[in-house]
Amino acid sequence: MTISPRFHLARRAAAPLAAALFSLLLAACGSTPRTPESRAGESSPSSTASAPTRGGGYYKDDGPGNNPPPNLDRIPDAVPRAEPLHRFANRPYSVFGERYVPATSVRPFRQRGVASWYGRRFHGKPTSSGEIYDMYAMTAAHPTLPIPSYARVTSVANGRSVVVRVNDRGPFLRGRVMDLSYAAAHRLGYINAGHAEVEVELIVPGGGQSIIAASTDTPAAPAVARNEPVAMLPGQGVFLQVGVFSSRTNAEDLRGRIMREMASMADRVQLFADGERFRLQVGPWHSESEARGVAEQIHRVLDLQPFVVVR
C-alpha cells in the first residue's frame, strides 16, 4: 500500500473516527510517520523471534536479515553534502496526539538521548522521504531533523561514532531520540542490546557547526606551534575533518599527536578558526575516494573517525 508523503504529513482530522482511521493507515503502510508500535529495533523480553545467526529477541520480529553483507564493519559513513530539503517531509505532523514541528533549515543542533534501530521488518519499504529503506545503508530516522540531512551519532558507552543520512521520521517512543539503520547500529555496537545512549550532532556541509570528534577528551601529544596564527577556513577542496574544539589547546594537542604518529601527512594537518571554535582538518585531497582511504588509515592508526568535507 503506498500513500503519498503529502497525505502522511497532512493534519489529522479532528473527529475521533478520522483520527483512528489515520492511525490505522500509518500502522499499515511503510511510509511515515510510523506509530510507536511499528518502530523497530528495540529489544523486548517478551519477543520470541530471533535472527538466524544472532541470539536474543527482537521487537515485533524485527532484526538482522538472513544474509547480511559480510563487510558490515566496513560499510562507509554517509558523506555529507548540501541537498535541497524534501518538499513535504518537513511539514508539521502529529502522532498519537503529539505534535512534531521539523526544522526547515540545516543549522547547528546537538542532542543526547537513547537511540534504537530498525531492520528487516522495514527493509525495502518507503521512508518519509519516499526513498526505499535499506537496513545496510548508513541512514537514520529522527522526529524533527531536516529531511534530508546528515548527523554524527556517537555512542556514549564506547566512543564509537558514525555519520548517517537522516531520511525518515521516528522514533515516537518516549525518551528515544533517533532510530538508526541496522548497519549504523552495528557499527556503534548495540545491535544485541537494542538501544544505546548517544550524542547526535547535525552536520552543516560546507561550513558552520560540524562534528566534534569522539576522541576530543583523549590524552594527546604535547602542543605543537601553539603561537602561530590560525587561518580562517580554507576555500574549495576535499578535506578530512578530525575534530572541532572550543579550546585551541585541545585542538593543538590532537594536531601534535597526528603529526607525530602519522608523520607522512604532517604537512596536511591544518588548524582553522571558525568563530569561537577550532577545526582540525587534514588535506586537501584530490578526490573523495582518496580522502576516504586516508580516513581509514587514520582510523586504524589513531582510532579516530574523521569524515569527508567537500567545499
Side-chain angles (χ1 to χ4, degrees):
M1 177 176 181
T2 301
I3 295 180
S4 69
R6 179 188 295 272
F7 177 85
H8 280 290
L9 294 174
R11 293 184 176 178
R12 292 187 177 182
L17 178 59
L21 290 174
F22 189 76
S23 297
L24 289 173
L25 284 172
L26 290 175
C29 299
S31 38
T32 158
R34 298 188 181 96
T35 64
E37 286 77 11
S38 67
R39 291 307 293 180
E42 299 174 359
S43 294
S44 172
S46 62
S47 299
T48 57
S50 61
T53 57
R54 296 179 182 268
Y58 296 96
Y59 181 75
K60 295 274 190 181
D61 194 30
D62 195 37
N66 293 333
N67 298 296
N71 61 338
L72 281 175
D73 290 320
R74 297 183 63 82
I75 292 177
D77 286 351
V79 179
R81 61 188 179 91
E83 295 186 65
L85 298 187
H86 195 279
R87 184 177 178 185
F88 304 115
N90 297 298
R91 293 179 177 178
Y93 65 94
S94 297
V95 173
F96 283 174
E98 187 76 19
R99 183 170 173 80
Y100 298 88
V101 182
T104 55
S105 63
V106 180
R107 57 183 182 268
F109 174 91
R110 186 192 294 270
Q111 184 179 35
R112 183 166 179 164
V114 176
S116 45
W117 63 270
Y118 58 128
R120 67 184 179 214
R121 192 161 178 257
F122 293 90
H123 187 64
K125 296 183 179 180
T127 63
S128 298
S129 63
E131 300 169 354
I132 299 302
Y133 174 58
D134 181 355
M135 62 188 286
Y136 303 122
M138 299 299 286
T139 62
H142 190 277
T144 58
L145 284 180
I147 290 180
S149 60
Y150 295 83
R152 176 175 285 277
V153 185
T154 303
S155 168
V156 174
N158 58 31
R160 298 179 190 175
S161 62
V162 295
V163 177
V164 295
R165 183 172 180 269
V166 179
N167 69 346
D168 204 359
R169 289 287 176 230
F172 301 114
L173 292 179
R174 187 179 301 275
R176 299 295 167 91
V177 300
M178 179 173 271
D179 262 351
L180 295 183
S181 66
Y182 172 77
H186 173 84
R187 287 268 308 276
L188 290 186
Y190 71 89
I191 287 295
N192 290 330
H195 59 273
E197 186 175 6
V198 300
E199 283 194 355
V200 178
E201 186 173 8
L202 191 64
I203 299 171
V204 183
Q209 300 298 324
S210 192
I211 293 171
I212 294 180
S215 60
T216 54
D217 294 328
T218 301
V224 174
R226 293 184 188 277
N227 296 323
E228 71 178 21
V230 179
M232 302 304 291
L233 286 175
Q236 294 183 345
V238 180
F239 296 83
L240 288 173
Q241 181 146 297
V242 183
V244 180
F245 304 82
S246 58
S247 165
R248 178 175 177 176
T249 299
N250 291 340
E252 292 282 13
D253 285 348
L254 182 55
R255 182 188 185 192
R257 181 187 173 199
I258 296 173
M259 294 175 69
R260 187 183 68 230
E261 298 185 30
M262 302 190 73
S264 62
M265 60 181 67
D267 60 342
R268 293 178 181 264
V269 184
Q270 304 181 54
L271 182 61
F272 300 103
D274 182 12
E276 296 181 353
R277 292 195 172 190
F278 300 90
R279 299 181 182 277
L280 192 62
Q281 299 182 350
V282 182
W285 307 102
H286 293 100
S287 65
E288 292 183 33
S289 60
E290 181 185 12
R292 283 193 289 270
V294 176
E296 292 183 2
Q297 296 178 38
I298 294 175
H299 179 65
R300 288 195 302 269
V301 175
L302 303 175
D303 196 26
L304 301 174
Q305 188 65 62
F307 75 99
V308 177
V309 174
V310 181
R311 292 188 176 83

